[in-house]
Amino acid sequence: MQTLNVDLGDRSYPIHIGGGLISDLSLIAPHIRGRQVMIVSNTTVAPLYLEQLKTTLADQYQVAEVILPDGEAYKTLDSVNLIFDALLENRFNRTCTLIALGGGVIGDMTGFAAASYQRGVNFIQIPTTLLSQVDSSVGGKTGVNHPLGKNMIGAFWQPQLVLADTDTLQTLPERELAAGIAEVIKYGLIRDPEFFSWLENTIEPLKTKDTAALSEAIYRSCQNKADVVAQDELEGGVRATLNLGHTFGHAIETEQGYGQWLHGEAVATGMLMAADLSQREGWLTSEDCSRIKKLLEAFDLPVIPPADMSADTFIGHMLVDKKVLDGNLRLVLMESLGQAVVTDRFAEANLQQTLIAGKKLGDF
Ligand code: NAD
Ligand code: GLY
């Protein structure tokens, strides 16, 4: 097992990464405050891992569960309300602990429920997708989607513990694994060029779920994320670089209907769109762009924006982005491979070129 710390003063917490962790009570117990534990999972993950977690906790705690429908389309206030119903029906009090057992959708909703139930209760993340192990379980962003915008309703609420049990990845479908890899590649692009090169040289082991390769990818990703979050917990500055590709990607997710493109897939195409614009601005070389495209394609990630999305449609969604300031669109672009910046310094004409519908990005 490897352990990292998210350094946030008296709200600091560990991230444990390794196999078999769900069965290790000694890792979980120190982070449970009272006796009441509510496990939140979904109809796909619960049959796989709920009993294992309940067995770990059953002797020591009053354990209840709420099983939500699976999918990005259910990342809604209605689903969060089902968590509140279960907490109230079981008379859970302020010293209860919520445990998210699932991917980023379950983690984001459980965190939001924890942030608001009785004005805030204890919460633990047990992420079971690659994406949630490398990104969403760390850093305290919680919330739900709105029909008009992705992740528009939410709160910052840090967990007490992140337990990334790498064994759970063995049941993850290939498409979901690739979606997680998109966020892994993101760290290379925004701040860790050596990691980007390591990924270029580790494609096959990652695709075949080699445990050592996956553990290293999770560790390096969490190290990068924890470092950024410790510098800028509430996204006043550098944390926004973690959203590379997301402004384009969220537009795709919202326009296509939540769940049609996986979040990581939309981010993959969005990152190449950011690369394309960065090249037009004279920051990235065509060689950099072609390396990015090649790596995304090696993991079977999509690199072409939807054919039915015009520049105007993109812009309409992009103006709802949380980085917009006083109506002014700001984007995460790359000054060089491995160095991201949040900026409004780009030519409108270049952005329009990047947004041309269904365009094969990268005449690099
Ligand atoms: P997800 O939660 O929908 O999980 C993907 C699919 O895999 C689901 O069908 C799920 O049931 C299934 N699954 C989960 N674990 C499994 C396992 N071990 N074996 C088999 N199937 C399993 O999607 P995700 O990619 O984990 O997360 C995406 C969400 O995370 C998006 O809503 C995105 O906005 C959010 N996100 C949040 C942050 C943050 O900082 N809070 C960061 C990145 C992404
Ligand atoms: N996923 C972006 C962030 O946590 O800030």
Side-chain angles (χ1 to χ4, degrees):
M1 182 182 86
Q2 292 176 292
T3 298
L4 286 160
N5 192 47
V6 184
D7 196 358
L8 292 170
D10 58 3
R11 287 172 300 104
S12 297
Y13 53 94
I15 306 168
H16 299 307
I17 302 160
L21 305 192
I22 289 180
S23 301
D24 194 338
L25 182 63
S26 72
L27 295 176
I28 305 174
H31 305 280
I32 296 179
R33 217 177 283 150
R35 301 244 65 78
Q36 298 175 318
V37 176
M38 176 68 68
I39 303 171
V40 183
S41 193
N42 72 20
T43 49
T44 303
V45 179
L48 296 169
Y49 303 109
L50 180 63
E51 279 315 308
Q52 196 184 339
L53 181 58
K54 279 170 78 175
T55 305
T56 307
L57 300 168
D59 285 350
Q60 304 247 1
Y61 303 100
Q62 176 198 339
V63 182
E65 71 215 34
V66 52
I67 309 302
L68 300 176
D70 183 11
E72 187 72 40
Y74 295 99
K75 191 175 165 183
T76 59
L77 285 174
D78 283 348
S79 296
V80 172
N81 214 24
L82 294 175
I83 306 177
F84 295 144
D85 289 348
L87 288 164
L88 288 163
E89 278 159 17
N90 286 280
R91 297 179 196 281
F92 271 38
N93 57 45
R94 290 184 108 169
T95 58
C96 71
T97 295
L98 270 62
I99 301 185
L101 177 69
V105 170
I106 287 294
D108 282 12
M109 288 197 292
T110 307
F112 188 44
S116 33
Y117 185 64
Q118 301 198 9
R119 300 199 180 85
V121 296
N122 218 33
F123 141 67
I124 288 173
Q125 289 269 21
I126 304 189
T128 61
T129 61
L130 181 61
L131 186 141
S132 56
Q133 295 187 355
V134 300
D135 191 351
S136 63
S137 64
V138 175
K141 278 191 183 175
T142 74
V144 296
N145 299 327
H146 186 279
L148 295 180
K150 175 96 179 117
N151 294 334
M152 277 294 145
I153 318 295
F156 284 99
W157 192 251
Q158 299 293 342
Q160 267 68 43
L161 165 71
V162 178
L163 203 68
D165 187 332
T166 49
D167 287 350
T168 61
L169 300 180
Q170 293 307 322
T171 55
L172 194 66
E174 272 173 32
R175 189 176 164 201
E176 298 290 351
L177 186 85
I181 290 283
E183 300 277 16
V184 173
I185 293 171
K186 175 187 78 180
Y187 296 110
L189 293 177
I190 62 172
R191 69 195 306 272
D192 195 346
E194 272 178 31
F195 186 40
F196 186 88
S197 303
W198 180 84
L199 289 167
E200 289 179 312
N201 293 319
T202 319
I203 292 166
E204 270 322 295
L206 288 168
K207 283 182 90 167
T208 52
K209 295 186 179 172
D210 173 79
T211 306
L214 282 174
S215 299
E216 179 65 11
I218 296 164
Y219 185 84
R220 297 270 301 255
S221 299
C222 287
Q223 211 172 28
N224 276 299
K225 178 135 190 193
D227 195 23
V228 172
V229 168
Q231 288 176 49
D232 179 22
E233 181 185 5
L234 302 182
E235 199 165 305
V238 67
R239 183 164 180 171
T241 59
L242 293 172
N243 286 319
L244 175 70
H246 285 56
T247 307
F248 300 107
H250 285 167
I252 295 173
E253 284 184 272
T254 308
E255 177 63 22
Q256 300 299 306
Y258 297 126
Q260 296 306 308
W261 280 53
L262 301 182
H263 175 71
E265 293 172 341
V267 166
T269 297
M271 290 193 300
L272 198 62
M273 295 175 85
D276 183 88
L277 182 51
S278 303
Q279 189 212 15
R280 290 175 194 283
E281 291 296 321
W283 296 338
L284 283 192
T285 64
S286 55
E287 194 183 58
D288 294 329
C289 291
S290 108
R291 276 177 75 188
I292 298 168
K293 187 176 175 202
K294 209 167 142 205
L295 188 58
L296 294 170
E297 284 179 329
F299 287 103
D300 306 314
L301 285 161
V303 290
I304 302 175
D308 58 352
M309 276 183 77
S310 67
D312 282 352
T313 310
F314 261 108
I315 294 284
H317 288 297
M318 288 163 75
L319 284 171
V320 183
D321 188 82
K322 291 191 277 307
K323 287 181 293 302
V324 169
L325 274 187
D326 298 328
N328 199 16
L329 185 60
R330 297 185 309 145
L331 292 170
V332 184
L333 298 179
M334 285 164 273
E335 288 182 323
S336 62
L337 200 158
Q339 172 129 15
V341 65
V342 185
T343 182
D344 59 3
R345 283 184 297 119
F346 48 83
E348 176 63 29
N350 283 341
L351 177 60
Q352 289 290 330
Q353 282 301 311
T354 295
L355 293 179
I356 289 173
K359 191 178 69 134
K360 240 189 194 135
L361 292 161
D363 303 326
F364 315 124

